């Protein structure tokens, strides 16, 4: 496999810049850079770009569509890229929960109880337990997926009881804003919800907050993000 040297250098430089910005944002909020996991969102980008990012030390990659994720899992296997940690960050249709059971370190997008129950069923049938985040529609936008905060507070006990999933925290997507500072209330609200859930359901693990993308990840980190999902700042604009 031949990878363009210019492209490889470009991705390495972009990753270095993103990591510097993550570190600065973490330090501003009294945290260590290592407290924030960078997931490189590789959707629509070829496996060669993933190889280039791995050469620059990146190990966690996120995909939005199960079909593309599985294609890249198989490509990575054929190239013996065993160090990759795959994240499913897109929403899962109820008829495709079986396809979401696989070698993924984290599913970020459990957006309703039906999906959680079906994924638990399919994971249990496969002898697996999938680590997941619960998606919350903090902003209330009709175009966004996820539980409302009140729905999650009422249903969290049912989710924690499902045997085939391991709830590790929360995820949200903020509205796209020209000024990233405008997203701060969304991220602050998710952190506050995490604290309420930890009080109401202390047996649960609510540690992870997956929030922040290319446009607003620094604000998200300042508000407590433990995972940021960054695509275009690393790979450039999408290929499709």
């Amino acid at each position: 496999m031949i990878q363009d040297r210019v492209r490889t250098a470009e991705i390495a430089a972009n990753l270095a810049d993103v990591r510097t910005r993550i570190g600065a944002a973490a330090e501003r909020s009294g945290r260590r850079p290592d407290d924030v996991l960078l997931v490189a969102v590789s959707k629509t980008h070829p496996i060669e770009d993933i190889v280039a990012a791995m050469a620059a030390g990146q190990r966690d990659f996120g995909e939005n569509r199960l079909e593309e994720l599985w294609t890249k899992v198989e490509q990575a296997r054929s190239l013996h890229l065993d160090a990759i940690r795959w994240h499913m960050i897109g929403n899962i249709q109820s008829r495709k929960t079986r396809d979401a059971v696989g070698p993924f370190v984290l599913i970020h997008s459990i957006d309703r109880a039906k999906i959680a129950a079906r994924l638990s069923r399919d994971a249990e049938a496969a002898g697996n337990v999938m680590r997941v985040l619960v998606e919350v529609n903090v902003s209330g936008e009709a175009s966004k997926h996820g539980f409302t905060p009140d729905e999650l507070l009422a249903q969290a006990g049912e989710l924690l009881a499902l045997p085939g999933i391991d709830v590790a925290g929360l995820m949200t997507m903020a509205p796209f804003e020209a000024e990233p500072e405008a997203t701060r209330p969304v991220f602050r609200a998710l952190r506050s919800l995490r604290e309420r859930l930890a009080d109401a359901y202390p047996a649960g693990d609510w540690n992870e907050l997956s929030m922040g993308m290319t446009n607003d990840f620094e604000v998200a980190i300042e508000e407590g993000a433990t995972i940021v999902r960054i695509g275009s700042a690393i790979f450039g604009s999408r290929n499709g």
Side-chain angles (χ1 to χ4, degrees):
M1 180 177 60
I2 299 174
Q3 172 70 352
D4 184 282
R5 291 182 180 180
V6 173
R7 178 63 172 158
T8 297
E10 175 189 26
I11 290 173
N14 290 345
L15 270 169
D17 178 66
V18 166
R19 288 172 181 147
T20 297
R21 293 166 63 189
I22 287 172
E27 289 172 4
R28 285 196 298 272
S29 54
R31 302 162 68 201
R32 301 175 304 163
D34 288 347
D35 291 338
V36 182
L37 176 67
L38 168 60
V39 175
V41 179
S42 47
K43 62 182 181 180
T44 78
H45 293 282
I47 192 69
E48 289 83 2
D49 282 358
I50 292 174
V51 171
M54 291 188 73
Q58 183 63 27
R59 294 295 178 265
D60 289 81
F61 294 88
E63 292 287 335
N64 271 52
R65 297 180 180 88
L66 283 168
E67 295 86 349
E68 184 176 359
L69 175 53
W70 275 111
T71 295
K72 288 179 177 172
V73 166
E74 294 304 323
Q75 289 174 326
R77 283 174 177 165
S78 71
L79 295 170
H80 306 291
L81 302 177
D82 301 328
I84 292 181
R85 292 161 46 91
W86 294 108
H87 296 246
M88 175 58 189
I89 63 174
N91 296 104
I92 301 167
Q93 296 175 336
S94 58
R95 61 187 175 85
K96 293 189 176 181
T97 52
R98 186 178 300 175
D99 295 334
V101 179
F104 317 135
V105 297
L106 190 60
I107 295 176
H108 292 233
S109 49
I110 301 303
D111 62 349
R112 57 195 192 277
K114 178 181 179 181
I115 296 299
R118 291 197 176 196
L119 179 62
S120 174
R121 176 201 65 193
D122 293 334
E124 194 174 21
N128 207 339
V129 176
M130 301 303 298
R131 189 165 179 259
V132 306
L133 303 179
V134 181
E135 183 172 0
V136 185
N137 185 354
V138 176
S139 67
E141 290 180 282
S143 61
K144 293 285 193 295
H145 295 268
F147 291 80
T148 68
D150 287 342
E151 286 173 342
L152 183 54
L153 283 164
Q155 299 178 43
E158 299 171 26
L159 300 181
L160 293 174
L162 292 169
I165 63 172
D166 175 20
V167 178
L170 307 176
M171 183 272 262
T172 198
M173 294 182 64
F176 182 86
E177 299 283 357
E179 174 49 57
E181 184 63 29
T183 63
R184 190 176 297 275
V186 172
F187 300 138
R188 187 169 292 171
L190 191 71
R191 184 184 65 187
S192 176
L193 177 61
R194 190 261 303 273
E195 293 167 358
R196 293 172 67 190
L197 286 162
D199 287 340
Y201 302 95
D205 176 6
W206 303 103
N207 288 334
E208 302 291 358
L209 289 180
S210 174
M211 57 187 193
M213 302 192 295
T214 290
N215 189 58
D216 52 26
F217 70 88
E218 289 154 303
V219 175
I221 291 169
E222 291 170 0
E223 290 300 328
T226 64
I227 303 171
V228 291
R229 312 176 306 273
I230 301 177
S232 58
I234 297 170
F235 297 111
S237 58
R238 299 182 199 173
N239 291 333

